[in-house]
Amino acid sequence: MSQGFNALAEKRRTIYALGPALPLAEDDVIALIQTAIRNSPSAFNSQSSRALILLGEQHKHFWSLTKEQLRKRVPADAFAATDKKIDSFAAAAGSVLFFEDQQVVSELQQQFAAYADNFPVWSEQSSGIAQYAVWLALAEKGIGANLQHYNPLVDDDVRQTWNIPASWTLRAQMNFGSVEAPAGEKGYIDDKQRFIVAR
């Protein structure tokens, strides 16, 4: 089983060249994402991760909103590269917007005061685990993905457009779709810099 997991972990890569085709029906992709998040571990089983799954025109609309926010901030003479980058994200089949529910965090802080300072940290860890789980689930099905962070730039637009609860904090955006070009070669730092083994 560990060999199977490690092979999948190696298969999961950041894919920037994404297209709109999916090897599964949209409902199956939605179920895949939901299952991956549902089964992701969280501190105290808090289940604080939330997601907005956008497909088709809704996905494209998100990237249109993002582009307009960037247009306000990126100098006009430098915007062409930004425009191209955002269009490449919009060319994918969909996006998963990952949130953490701060109401859950706050309630845990009140309930377990001795750990209050840790719950925001553990919430961020839960979000990262959920993101990785979805990424692996998509990779297993041959669906490419990349992870972006345009929060808090787009937070208000997202909240207003999709009626997001006030307690949900946007943490990341994952595009997914068909793999139109593979990822480049991946380098690794020396294990001696990364690991300490004590026996």
Side-chain angles (χ1 to χ4, degrees), residues 146-175:
N146 63 67
L147 191 66
Q148 304 301 317
H149 301 89
Y150 286 97
N151 43 288
L153 185 70
V154 296
D155 288 20
D156 290 341
D157 285 338
V158 169
R159 193 176 310 285
Q160 293 168 15
T161 303
W162 288 283
N163 196 28
I164 302 299
S167 62
W168 291 21
T169 300
L170 183 59
R171 306 314 299 148
Q173 306 87 47
M174 182 179 290
N175 302 299

Side-chain angles (χ1 to χ4, degrees), residues 62-115:
F62 167 74
W63 288 109
S64 175
L65 292 171
T66 304
K67 183 185 288 189
E68 292 313 307
Q69 287 297 337
L70 288 166
R71 194 185 306 276
K72 298 174 187 176
R73 292 161 175 82
V74 177
D77 60 351
F79 191 73
T82 297
D83 190 52
K84 183 177 179 181
K85 184 177 184 181
I86 299 302
D87 283 349
S88 75
F89 298 151
S95 297
V96 184
L97 276 59
F98 292 89
F99 301 80
E100 282 293 302
D101 191 340
Q102 301 307 312
Q103 181 175 340
V104 173
V105 175
S106 178
E107 288 173 357
L108 285 167
Q109 287 177 308
Q110 293 172 29
Q111 188 176 357
F112 301 100
Y115 303 109

